[in-house]
Amino acid sequence: MCREVVRCGEVPAGTGTKLAVNLYLCTMVAGLAEAFHLADRLDLDLEVFRRALDSGPMASAVSAVKLAKLVARDFEAQAAVRDVHTNTRLIAEAARAVGAHSPVLEATRELFRETEAAGLGALDMAAVVTALERWDAGRPG
């Protein structure tokens, strides 16, 4: 939930605002998972990586929580992969309806689709990192 009520204007501006904000959230967590995955593949100290990210300009409440989950491999759901995948579909439909190109969203959707297809839909959205791990292991989807 938000810290404050934000009046968005006439209907359906509230729904549009939610979809636009969720686009940022979904792509941000997918980007975080990809950065974490690279750090892991580079054999970096993941706690040091976490501290570096948390102390820089990209730090946020979401990145702090999700990065801690990635480091601990704690995928207990706060926001389940299947729900996030559904949200990415709704966002994509809204974008197409108004002719808004969204290539980062499409890449994000594919990661969440593959994670859900692997039977991990009930896990936290941070589990999207497993799609990257499967790709590296030569086992897409």
mmCIF file of all heavy atoms in Angstrom, residues 17-70:
data_model
loop_
_atom_site.group_PDB
_atom_site.id
_atom_site.type_symbol
_atom_site.label_atom_id
_atom_site.label_comp_id
_atom_site.label_asym_id
_atom_site.label_seq_id
_atom_site.Cartn_x
_atom_site.Cartn_y
_atom_site.Cartn_z
ATOM 1 N N THR A 17 -2.759 4.855 -13.943
ATOM 2 C CA THR A 17 -1.639 5.179 -13.056
ATOM 3 C C THR A 17 -1.090 3.911 -12.419
ATOM 4 O O THR A 17 0.125 3.699 -12.359
ATOM 5 C CB THR A 17 -2.077 6.185 -11.977
ATOM 6 O OG1 THR A 17 -2.547 7.369 -12.622
ATOM 7 C CG2 THR A 17 -0.942 6.522 -11.028
ATOM 8 N N LYS A 18 -1.977 3.033 -11.951
ATOM 9 C CA LYS A 18 -1.547 1.763 -11.346
ATOM 10 C C LYS A 18 -0.749 0.935 -12.355
ATOM 11 O O LYS A 18 0.300 0.382 -12.021
ATOM 12 C CB LYS A 18 -2.752 0.973 -10.849
ATOM 13 C CG LYS A 18 -2.371 -0.367 -10.221
ATOM 14 C CD LYS A 18 -3.601 -1.144 -9.844
ATOM 15 C CE LYS A 18 -3.342 -2.425 -9.112
ATOM 16 N NZ LYS A 18 -2.188 -3.191 -9.440
ATOM 17 N N LEU A 19 -1.222 0.864 -13.588
ATOM 18 C CA LEU A 19 -0.518 0.081 -14.595
ATOM 19 C C LEU A 19 0.862 0.677 -14.901
ATOM 20 O O LEU A 19 1.847 -0.057 -15.021
ATOM 21 C CB LEU A 19 -1.357 -0.030 -15.866
ATOM 22 C CG LEU A 19 -2.647 -0.848 -15.727
ATOM 23 C CD1 LEU A 19 -3.478 -0.739 -17.009
ATOM 24 C CD2 LEU A 19 -2.360 -2.301 -15.385
ATOM 25 N N ALA A 20 0.943 1.990 -15.024
ATOM 26 C CA ALA A 20 2.229 2.631 -15.309
ATOM 27 C C ALA A 20 3.208 2.443 -14.154
ATOM 28 O O ALA A 20 4.396 2.160 -14.364
ATOM 29 C CB ALA A 20 2.022 4.115 -15.610
ATOM 30 N N VAL A 21 2.727 2.577 -12.917
ATOM 31 C CA VAL A 21 3.584 2.366 -11.746
ATOM 32 C C VAL A 21 4.028 0.901 -11.684
ATOM 33 O O VAL A 21 5.199 0.605 -11.417
ATOM 34 C CB VAL A 21 2.859 2.796 -10.450
ATOM 35 C CG1 VAL A 21 3.588 2.309 -9.211
ATOM 36 C CG2 VAL A 21 2.692 4.315 -10.420
ATOM 37 N N ASN A 22 3.107 -0.025 -11.962
ATOM 38 C CA ASN A 22 3.461 -1.445 -11.935
ATOM 39 C C ASN A 22 4.447 -1.809 -13.036
ATOM 40 O O ASN A 22 5.272 -2.705 -12.854
ATOM 41 C CB ASN A 22 2.218 -2.318 -12.008
ATOM 42 C CG ASN A 22 1.522 -2.428 -10.679
ATOM 43 O OD1 ASN A 22 2.047 -2.014 -9.646
ATOM 44 N ND2 ASN A 22 0.321 -2.968 -10.669
ATOM 45 N N LEU A 23 4.393 -1.116 -14.183
ATOM 46 C CA LEU A 23 5.394 -1.343 -15.225
ATOM 47 C C LEU A 23 6.785 -1.065 -14.654
ATOM 48 O O LEU A 23 7.708 -1.862 -14.823
ATOM 49 C CB LEU A 23 5.119 -0.464 -16.442
ATOM 50 C CG LEU A 23 6.038 -0.704 -17.646
ATOM 51 C CD1 LEU A 23 5.319 -0.338 -18.926
ATOM 52 C CD2 LEU A 23 7.346 0.027 -17.550
ATOM 53 N N TYR A 24 6.913 0.041 -13.970
ATOM 54 C CA TYR A 24 8.202 0.388 -13.370
ATOM 55 C C TYR A 24 8.616 -0.659 -12.330
ATOM 56 O O TYR A 24 9.771 -1.118 -12.316
ATOM 57 C CB TYR A 24 8.126 1.786 -12.747
ATOM 58 C CG TYR A 24 9.407 2.228 -12.100
ATOM 59 C CD1 TYR A 24 10.605 2.253 -12.801
ATOM 60 C CD2 TYR A 24 9.428 2.622 -10.768
ATOM 61 C CE1 TYR A 24 11.788 2.661 -12.208
ATOM 62 C CE2 TYR A 24 10.610 3.036 -10.172
ATOM 63 C CZ TYR A 24 11.775 3.050 -10.894
ATOM 64 O OH TYR A 24 12.946 3.447 -10.301
ATOM 65 N N LEU A 25 7.705 -1.066 -11.473
ATOM 66 C CA LEU A 25 8.009 -2.056 -10.443
ATOM 67 C C LEU A 25 8.457 -3.380 -11.054
ATOM 68 O O LEU A 25 9.487 -3.937 -10.654
ATOM 69 C CB LEU A 25 6.790 -2.283 -9.542
ATOM 70 C CG LEU A 25 6.923 -3.422 -8.527
ATOM 71 C CD1 LEU A 25 8.005 -3.119 -7.512
ATOM 72 C CD2 LEU A 25 5.586 -3.678 -7.851
ATOM 73 N N CYS A 26 7.707 -3.883 -12.012
ATOM 74 C CA CYS A 26 8.028 -5.179 -12.612
ATOM 75 C C CYS A 26 9.375 -5.154 -13.317
ATOM 76 O O CYS A 26 10.188 -6.073 -13.160
ATOM 77 C CB CYS A 26 6.939 -5.596 -13.597
ATOM 78 S SG CYS A 26 5.322 -5.861 -12.857
ATOM 79 N N THR A 27 9.621 -4.106 -14.097
ATOM 80 C CA THR A 27 10.892 -4.028 -14.819
ATOM 81 C C THR A 27 12.050 -3.750 -13.867
ATOM 82 O O THR A 27 13.163 -4.237 -14.098
ATOM 83 C CB THR A 27 10.834 -2.975 -15.945
ATOM 84 O OG1 THR A 27 10.527 -1.697 -15.400
ATOM 85 C CG2 THR A 27 9.804 -3.362 -17.007
ATOM 86 N N MET A 28 11.779 -3.005 -12.796
ATOM 87 C CA MET A 28 12.823 -2.724 -11.817
ATOM 88 C C MET A 28 13.264 -4.015 -11.124
ATOM 89 O O MET A 28 14.471 -4.268 -10.981
ATOM 90 C CB MET A 28 12.322 -1.723 -10.771
ATOM 91 C CG MET A 28 13.362 -1.396 -9.708
ATOM 92 S SD MET A 28 12.813 -0.154 -8.526
ATOM 93 C CE MET A 28 11.638 -1.079 -7.563
ATOM 94 N N VAL A 29 12.325 -4.852 -10.714
ATOM 95 C CA VAL A 29 12.691 -6.095 -10.034
ATOM 96 C C VAL A 29 13.367 -7.056 -11.004
ATOM 97 O O VAL A 29 14.345 -7.721 -10.640
ATOM 98 C CB VAL A 29 11.466 -6.725 -9.341
ATOM 99 C CG1 VAL A 29 11.800 -8.116 -8.800
ATOM 100 C CG2 VAL A 29 10.991 -5.826 -8.202
ATOM 101 N N ALA A 30 12.898 -7.107 -12.251
ATOM 102 C CA ALA A 30 13.567 -7.963 -13.239
ATOM 103 C C ALA A 30 14.996 -7.473 -13.478
ATOM 104 O O ALA A 30 15.930 -8.277 -13.567
ATOM 105 C CB ALA A 30 12.778 -7.988 -14.542
ATOM 106 N N GLY A 31 15.196 -6.158 -13.568
ATOM 107 C CA GLY A 31 16.536 -5.605 -13.737
ATOM 108 C C GLY A 31 17.420 -5.888 -12.536
ATOM 109 O O GLY A 31 18.610 -6.199 -12.682
ATOM 110 N N LEU A 32 16.845 -5.790 -11.363
ATOM 111 C CA LEU A 32 17.592 -6.105 -10.138
ATOM 112 C C LEU A 32 18.016 -7.568 -10.135
ATOM 113 O O LEU A 32 19.165 -7.893 -9.812
ATOM 114 C CB LEU A 32 16.728 -5.786 -8.910
ATOM 115 C CG LEU A 32 17.342 -6.117 -7.560
ATOM 116 C CD1 LEU A 32 18.574 -5.260 -7.290
ATOM 117 C CD2 LEU A 32 16.290 -5.910 -6.467
ATOM 118 N N ALA A 33 17.096 -8.456 -10.516
ATOM 119 C CA ALA A 33 17.420 -9.889 -10.572
ATOM 120 C C ALA A 33 18.534 -10.147 -11.588
ATOM 121 O O ALA A 33 19.444 -10.943 -11.340
ATOM 122 C CB ALA A 33 16.177 -10.700 -10.921
ATOM 123 N N GLU A 34 18.492 -9.434 -12.723
ATOM 124 C CA GLU A 34 19.530 -9.615 -13.732
ATOM 125 C C GLU A 34 20.878 -9.100 -13.238
ATOM 126 O O GLU A 34 21.922 -9.735 -13.460
ATOM 127 C CB GLU A 34 19.131 -8.915 -15.029
ATOM 128 C CG GLU A 34 20.067 -9.206 -16.173
ATOM 129 C CD GLU A 34 19.554 -8.665 -17.488
ATOM 130 O OE1 GLU A 34 18.345 -8.441 -17.650
ATOM 131 O OE2 GLU A 34 20.411 -8.471 -18.380
ATOM 132 N N ALA A 35 20.886 -7.962 -12.559
ATOM 133 C CA ALA A 35 22.128 -7.432 -11.989
ATOM 134 C C ALA A 35 22.687 -8.383 -10.933
ATOM 135 O O ALA A 35 23.899 -8.656 -10.890
ATOM 136 C CB ALA A 35 21.888 -6.053 -11.389
ATOM 137 N N PHE A 36 21.808 -8.901 -10.081
ATOM 138 C CA PHE A 36 22.216 -9.881 -9.069
ATOM 139 C C PHE A 36 22.803 -11.115 -9.739
ATOM 140 O O PHE A 36 23.843 -11.633 -9.321
ATOM 141 C CB PHE A 36 21.018 -10.261 -8.194
ATOM 142 C CG PHE A 36 21.312 -11.402 -7.281
ATOM 143 C CD1 PHE A 36 21.951 -11.198 -6.066
ATOM 144 C CD2 PHE A 36 20.973 -12.700 -7.637
ATOM 145 C CE1 PHE A 36 22.246 -12.262 -5.222
ATOM 146 C CE2 PHE A 36 21.268 -13.768 -6.806
ATOM 147 C CZ PHE A 36 21.901 -13.545 -5.596
ATOM 148 N N HIS A 37 22.146 -11.571 -10.787
ATOM 149 C CA HIS A 37 22.605 -12.761 -11.511
ATOM 150 C C HIS A 37 24.005 -12.541 -12.083
ATOM 151 O O HIS A 37 24.872 -13.417 -11.980
ATOM 152 C CB HIS A 37 21.599 -13.104 -12.619
ATOM 153 C CG HIS A 37 21.969 -14.290 -13.427
ATOM 154 N ND1 HIS A 37 22.036 -15.557 -12.916
ATOM 155 C CD2 HIS A 37 22.312 -14.391 -14.732
ATOM 156 C CE1 HIS A 37 22.400 -16.402 -13.860
ATOM 157 N NE2 HIS A 37 22.580 -15.713 -14.976
ATOM 158 N N LEU A 38 24.233 -11.372 -12.658
ATOM 159 C CA LEU A 38 25.566 -11.060 -13.180
ATOM 160 C C LEU A 38 26.598 -11.043 -12.047
ATOM 161 O O LEU A 38 27.681 -11.618 -12.181
ATOM 162 C CB LEU A 38 25.565 -9.724 -13.910
ATOM 163 C CG LEU A 38 26.936 -9.258 -14.420
ATOM 164 C CD1 LEU A 38 27.533 -10.246 -15.411
ATOM 165 C CD2 LEU A 38 26.825 -7.870 -15.015
ATOM 166 N N ALA A 39 26.249 -10.409 -10.944
ATOM 167 C CA ALA A 39 27.166 -10.373 -9.799
ATOM 168 C C ALA A 39 27.498 -11.784 -9.333
ATOM 169 O O ALA A 39 28.662 -12.095 -9.034
ATOM 170 C CB ALA A 39 26.561 -9.553 -8.659
ATOM 171 N N ASP A 40 26.502 -12.637 -9.300
ATOM 172 C CA ASP A 40 26.715 -14.023 -8.895
ATOM 173 C C ASP A 40 27.621 -14.745 -9.878
ATOM 174 O O ASP A 40 28.568 -15.434 -9.487
ATOM 175 C CB ASP A 40 25.360 -14.724 -8.776
ATOM 176 C CG ASP A 40 25.474 -16.112 -8.192
ATOM 177 O OD1 ASP A 40 26.216 -16.314 -7.214
ATOM 178 O OD2 ASP A 40 24.794 -17.026 -8.726
ATOM 179 N N ARG A 41 27.352 -14.550 -11.186
ATOM 180 C CA ARG A 41 28.159 -15.205 -12.226
ATOM 181 C C ARG A 41 29.595 -14.677 -12.239
ATOM 182 O O ARG A 41 30.517 -15.387 -12.607
ATOM 183 C CB ARG A 41 27.521 -15.028 -13.606
ATOM 184 C CG ARG A 41 26.204 -15.767 -13.805
ATOM 185 C CD ARG A 41 26.394 -17.252 -13.771
ATOM 186 N NE ARG A 41 27.270 -17.641 -14.855
ATOM 187 C CZ ARG A 41 27.037 -18.595 -15.714
ATOM 188 N NH1 ARG A 41 25.946 -19.298 -15.620
ATOM 189 N NH2 ARG A 41 27.898 -18.865 -16.665
ATOM 190 N N LEU A 42 29.785 -13.414 -11.826
ATOM 191 C CA LEU A 42 31.132 -12.846 -11.713
ATOM 192 C C LEU A 42 31.823 -13.295 -10.435
ATOM 193 O O LEU A 42 32.963 -12.915 -10.169
ATOM 194 C CB LEU A 42 31.070 -11.319 -11.752
ATOM 195 C CG LEU A 42 30.686 -10.695 -13.098
ATOM 196 C CD1 LEU A 42 30.420 -9.200 -12.933
ATOM 197 C CD2 LEU A 42 31.764 -10.949 -14.140
ATOM 198 N N ASP A 43 31.108 -14.102 -9.642
ATOM 199 C CA ASP A 43 31.623 -14.644 -8.383
ATOM 200 C C ASP A 43 31.963 -13.532 -7.387
ATOM 201 O O ASP A 43 32.942 -13.615 -6.648
ATOM 202 C CB ASP A 43 32.838 -15.547 -8.619
ATOM 203 C CG ASP A 43 33.054 -16.509 -7.458
ATOM 204 O OD1 ASP A 43 32.070 -16.848 -6.769
ATOM 205 O OD2 ASP A 43 34.212 -16.903 -7.241
ATOM 206 N N LEU A 44 31.133 -12.481 -7.391
ATOM 207 C CA LEU A 44 31.322 -11.391 -6.441
ATOM 208 C C LEU A 44 30.782 -11.788 -5.081
ATOM 209 O O LEU A 44 29.926 -12.671 -4.972
ATOM 210 C CB LEU A 44 30.596 -10.136 -6.935
ATOM 211 C CG LEU A 44 31.006 -9.611 -8.311
ATOM 212 C CD1 LEU A 44 30.174 -8.383 -8.660
ATOM 213 C CD2 LEU A 44 32.490 -9.303 -8.354
ATOM 214 N N ASP A 45 31.240 -11.133 -4.060
ATOM 215 C CA ASP A 45 30.671 -11.290 -2.725
ATOM 216 C C ASP A 45 29.292 -10.630 -2.776
ATOM 217 O O ASP A 45 29.181 -9.409 -2.941
ATOM 218 C CB ASP A 45 31.570 -10.612 -1.696
ATOM 219 C CG ASP A 45 31.065 -10.747 -0.275
ATOM 220 O OD1 ASP A 45 29.829 -10.689 -0.058
ATOM 221 O OD2 ASP A 45 31.901 -10.874 0.624
ATOM 222 N N LEU A 46 28.249 -11.432 -2.666
ATOM 223 C CA LEU A 46 26.889 -10.921 -2.861
ATOM 224 C C LEU A 46 26.451 -9.992 -1.744
ATOM 225 O O LEU A 46 25.622 -9.103 -1.968
ATOM 226 C CB LEU A 46 25.917 -12.082 -3.055
ATOM 227 C CG LEU A 46 26.214 -12.919 -4.299
ATOM 228 C CD1 LEU A 46 25.278 -14.108 -4.381
ATOM 229 C CD2 LEU A 46 26.172 -12.083 -5.565
ATOM 230 N N GLU A 47 27.003 -10.142 -0.563
ATOM 231 C CA GLU A 47 26.706 -9.186 0.518
ATOM 232 C C GLU A 47 27.321 -7.827 0.211
ATOM 233 O O GLU A 47 26.716 -6.792 0.463
ATOM 234 C CB GLU A 47 27.194 -9.710 1.868
ATOM 235 C CG GLU A 47 26.184 -10.541 2.618
ATOM 236 C CD GLU A 47 24.874 -9.799 2.890
ATOM 237 O OE1 GLU A 47 24.903 -8.604 3.282
ATOM 238 O OE2 GLU A 47 23.816 -10.413 2.706
ATOM 239 N N VAL A 48 28.531 -7.835 -0.331
ATOM 240 C CA VAL A 48 29.175 -6.582 -0.727
ATOM 241 C C VAL A 48 28.371 -5.933 -1.862
ATOM 242 O O VAL A 48 28.122 -4.725 -1.841
ATOM 243 C CB VAL A 48 30.643 -6.813 -1.144
ATOM 244 C CG1 VAL A 48 31.244 -5.561 -1.763
ATOM 245 C CG2 VAL A 48 31.459 -7.277 0.063
ATOM 246 N N PHE A 49 27.941 -6.730 -2.832
ATOM 247 C CA PHE A 49 27.105 -6.216 -3.923
ATOM 248 C C PHE A 49 25.834 -5.583 -3.359
ATOM 249 O O PHE A 49 25.449 -4.477 -3.745
ATOM 250 C CB PHE A 49 26.771 -7.349 -4.898
ATOM 251 C CG PHE A 49 25.739 -6.974 -5.922
ATOM 252 C CD1 PHE A 49 26.045 -6.107 -6.960
ATOM 253 C CD2 PHE A 49 24.461 -7.488 -5.838
ATOM 254 C CE1 PHE A 49 25.085 -5.750 -7.905
ATOM 255 C CE2 PHE A 49 23.495 -7.139 -6.773
ATOM 256 C CZ PHE A 49 23.807 -6.271 -7.810
ATOM 257 N N ARG A 50 25.202 -6.279 -2.410
ATOM 258 C CA ARG A 50 23.978 -5.757 -1.800
ATOM 259 C C ARG A 50 24.244 -4.426 -1.107
ATOM 260 O O ARG A 50 23.512 -3.458 -1.293
ATOM 261 C CB ARG A 50 23.383 -6.759 -0.798
ATOM 262 C CG ARG A 50 22.056 -6.285 -0.198
ATOM 263 C CD ARG A 50 21.593 -7.171 0.945
ATOM 264 N NE ARG A 50 22.529 -7.202 2.046
ATOM 265 C CZ ARG A 50 22.709 -6.208 2.922
ATOM 266 N NH1 ARG A 50 22.001 -5.102 2.840
ATOM 267 N NH2 ARG A 50 23.576 -6.323 3.901
ATOM 268 N N ARG A 51 25.327 -4.359 -0.327
ATOM 269 C CA ARG A 51 25.657 -3.113 0.369
ATOM 270 C C ARG A 51 25.957 -1.989 -0.608
ATOM 271 O O ARG A 51 25.553 -0.844 -0.397
ATOM 272 C CB ARG A 51 26.819 -3.328 1.337
ATOM 273 C CG ARG A 51 26.407 -4.081 2.586
ATOM 274 C CD ARG A 51 27.413 -3.990 3.734
ATOM 275 N NE ARG A 51 28.807 -4.026 3.359
ATOM 276 C CZ ARG A 51 29.553 -5.137 3.262
ATOM 277 N NH1 ARG A 51 29.023 -6.304 3.516
ATOM 278 N NH2 ARG A 51 30.832 -5.065 2.934
ATOM 279 N N ALA A 52 26.657 -2.298 -1.690
ATOM 280 C CA ALA A 52 26.977 -1.278 -2.697
ATOM 281 C C ALA A 52 25.700 -0.742 -3.335
ATOM 282 O O ALA A 52 25.536 0.474 -3.484
ATOM 283 C CB ALA A 52 27.911 -1.859 -3.761
ATOM 284 N N LEU A 53 24.793 -1.633 -3.681
ATOM 285 C CA LEU A 53 23.545 -1.178 -4.296
ATOM 286 C C LEU A 53 22.711 -0.389 -3.288
ATOM 287 O O LEU A 53 22.173 0.670 -3.622
ATOM 288 C CB LEU A 53 22.745 -2.359 -4.843
ATOM 289 C CG LEU A 53 21.649 -1.939 -5.796
ATOM 290 C CD1 LEU A 53 21.561 -2.895 -6.957
ATOM 291 C CD2 LEU A 53 20.326 -1.833 -5.097
ATOM 292 N N ASP A 54 22.635 -0.886 -2.066
ATOM 293 C CA ASP A 54 21.828 -0.216 -1.036
ATOM 294 C C ASP A 54 22.376 1.162 -0.666
ATOM 295 O O ASP A 54 21.640 1.999 -0.152
ATOM 296 C CB ASP A 54 21.734 -1.077 0.227
ATOM 297 C CG ASP A 54 20.781 -2.255 0.073
ATOM 298 O OD1 ASP A 54 20.013 -2.294 -0.916
ATOM 299 O OD2 ASP A 54 20.818 -3.136 0.950
ATOM 300 N N SER A 55 23.652 1.408 -0.924
ATOM 301 C CA SER A 55 24.230 2.696 -0.541
ATOM 302 C C SER A 55 24.274 3.688 -1.705
ATOM 303 O O SER A 55 24.697 4.823 -1.519
ATOM 304 C CB SER A 55 25.637 2.508 0.017
ATOM 305 O OG SER A 55 26.516 2.080 -1.002
ATOM 306 N N GLY A 56 23.819 3.272 -2.863
ATOM 307 C CA GLY A 56 23.893 4.131 -4.041
ATOM 308 C C GLY A 56 22.556 4.747 -4.423
ATOM 309 O O GLY A 56 21.548 4.581 -3.729
ATOM 310 N N PRO A 57 22.545 5.449 -5.549
ATOM 311 C CA PRO A 57 21.358 6.180 -5.963
ATOM 312 C C PRO A 57 20.201 5.299 -6.435
ATOM 313 O O PRO A 57 19.075 5.780 -6.550
ATOM 314 C CB PRO A 57 21.864 7.065 -7.110
ATOM 315 C CG PRO A 57 23.052 6.346 -7.647
ATOM 316 C CD PRO A 57 23.677 5.668 -6.459
ATOM 317 N N MET A 58 20.434 4.015 -6.702
ATOM 318 C CA MET A 58 19.347 3.137 -7.130
ATOM 319 C C MET A 58 18.637 2.473 -5.958
ATOM 320 O O MET A 58 17.656 1.763 -6.151
ATOM 321 C CB MET A 58 19.854 2.043 -8.076
ATOM 322 C CG MET A 58 20.199 2.521 -9.460
ATOM 323 S SD MET A 58 21.871 3.182 -9.604
ATOM 324 C CE MET A 58 22.919 1.923 -8.987
ATOM 325 N N ALA A 59 19.101 2.696 -4.756
ATOM 326 C CA ALA A 59 18.501 2.065 -3.578
ATOM 327 C C ALA A 59 17.068 2.537 -3.394
ATOM 328 O O ALA A 59 16.742 3.698 -3.615
ATOM 329 C CB ALA A 59 19.318 2.390 -2.333
ATOM 330 N N SER A 60 16.226 1.611 -3.024
ATOM 331 C CA SER A 60 14.825 1.906 -2.730
ATOM 332 C C SER A 60 14.327 0.866 -1.737
ATOM 333 O O SER A 60 14.997 -0.136 -1.493
ATOM 334 C CB SER A 60 13.976 1.852 -4.001
ATOM 335 O OG SER A 60 13.847 0.508 -4.458
ATOM 336 N N ALA A 61 13.145 1.098 -1.205
ATOM 337 C CA ALA A 61 12.551 0.110 -0.297
ATOM 338 C C ALA A 61 12.381 -1.220 -1.024
ATOM 339 O O ALA A 61 12.663 -2.290 -0.464
ATOM 340 C CB ALA A 61 11.220 0.623 0.236
ATOM 341 N N VAL A 62 11.956 -1.172 -2.275
ATOM 342 C CA VAL A 62 11.756 -2.402 -3.047
ATOM 343 C C VAL A 62 13.087 -3.093 -3.308
ATOM 344 O O VAL A 62 13.217 -4.302 -3.099
ATOM 345 C CB VAL A 62 11.023 -2.109 -4.371
ATOM 346 C CG1 VAL A 62 11.011 -3.336 -5.280
ATOM 347 C CG2 VAL A 62 9.605 -1.633 -4.098
ATOM 348 N N SER A 63 14.094 -2.340 -3.752
ATOM 349 C CA SER A 63 15.373 -2.986 -4.055
ATOM 350 C C SER A 63 15.997 -3.589 -2.800
ATOM 351 O O SER A 63 16.584 -4.668 -2.856
ATOM 352 C CB SER A 63 16.343 -2.020 -4.740
ATOM 353 O OG SER A 63 16.782 -1.008 -3.867
ATOM 354 N N ALA A 64 15.867 -2.929 -1.665
ATOM 355 C CA ALA A 64 16.438 -3.461 -0.425
ATOM 356 C C ALA A 64 15.787 -4.789 -0.049
ATOM 357 O O ALA A 64 16.480 -5.760 0.278
ATOM 358 C CB ALA A 64 16.287 -2.451 0.711
ATOM 359 N N VAL A 65 14.475 -4.846 -0.125
ATOM 360 C CA VAL A 65 13.749 -6.072 0.242
ATOM 361 C C VAL A 65 14.021 -7.184 -0.760
ATOM 362 O O VAL A 65 14.333 -8.324 -0.380
ATOM 363 C CB VAL A 65 12.235 -5.793 0.363
ATOM 364 C CG1 VAL A 65 11.437 -7.080 0.468
ATOM 365 C CG2 VAL A 65 11.962 -4.885 1.554
ATOM 366 N N LYS A 66 13.920 -6.874 -2.041
ATOM 367 C CA LYS A 66 14.080 -7.921 -3.061
ATOM 368 C C LYS A 66 15.528 -8.388 -3.170
ATOM 369 O O LYS A 66 15.782 -9.573 -3.380
ATOM 370 C CB LYS A 66 13.559 -7.446 -4.424
ATOM 371 C CG LYS A 66 12.070 -7.150 -4.441
ATOM 372 C CD LYS A 66 11.234 -8.314 -3.949
ATOM 373 C CE LYS A 66 9.756 -7.973 -3.962
ATOM 374 N NZ LYS A 66 8.933 -9.002 -3.340
ATOM 375 N N LEU A 67 16.485 -7.489 -3.010
ATOM 376 C CA LEU A 67 17.880 -7.916 -3.063
ATOM 377 C C LEU A 67 18.224 -8.800 -1.868
ATOM 378 O O LEU A 67 18.934 -9.800 -2.019
ATOM 379 C CB LEU A 67 18.808 -6.711 -3.137
ATOM 380 C CG LEU A 67 20.277 -7.014 -3.405
ATOM 381 C CD1 LEU A 67 20.464 -7.900 -4.638
ATOM 382 C CD2 LEU A 67 21.048 -5.726 -3.565
ATOM 383 N N ALA A 68 17.690 -8.480 -0.703
ATOM 384 C CA ALA A 68 17.900 -9.352 0.463
ATOM 385 C C ALA A 68 17.323 -10.737 0.196
ATOM 386 O O ALA A 68 17.936 -11.752 0.555
ATOM 387 C CB ALA A 68 17.275 -8.729 1.706
ATOM 388 N N LYS A 69 16.162 -10.798 -0.452
ATOM 389 C CA LYS A 69 15.559 -12.090 -0.798
ATOM 390 C C LYS A 69 16.445 -12.846 -1.792
ATOM 391 O O LYS A 69 16.616 -14.061 -1.679
ATOM 392 C CB LYS A 69 14.150 -11.903 -1.356
ATOM 393 C CG LYS A 69 13.136 -11.450 -0.314
ATOM 394 C CD LYS A 69 11.757 -11.226 -0.878
ATOM 395 C CE LYS A 69 10.888 -12.439 -0.866
ATOM 396 N NZ LYS A 69 10.776 -13.196 0.360
ATOM 397 N N LEU A 70 16.999 -12.135 -2.775
ATOM 398 C CA LEU A 70 17.867 -12.785 -3.752
ATOM 399 C C LEU A 70 19.124 -13.341 -3.085
ATOM 400 O O LEU A 70 19.500 -14.490 -3.344
ATOM 401 C CB LEU A 70 18.235 -11.796 -4.859
ATOM 402 C CG LEU A 70 17.131 -11.498 -5.865
ATOM 403 C CD1 LEU A 70 17.428 -10.210 -6.630
ATOM 404 C CD2 LEU A 70 16.961 -12.675 -6.820
#
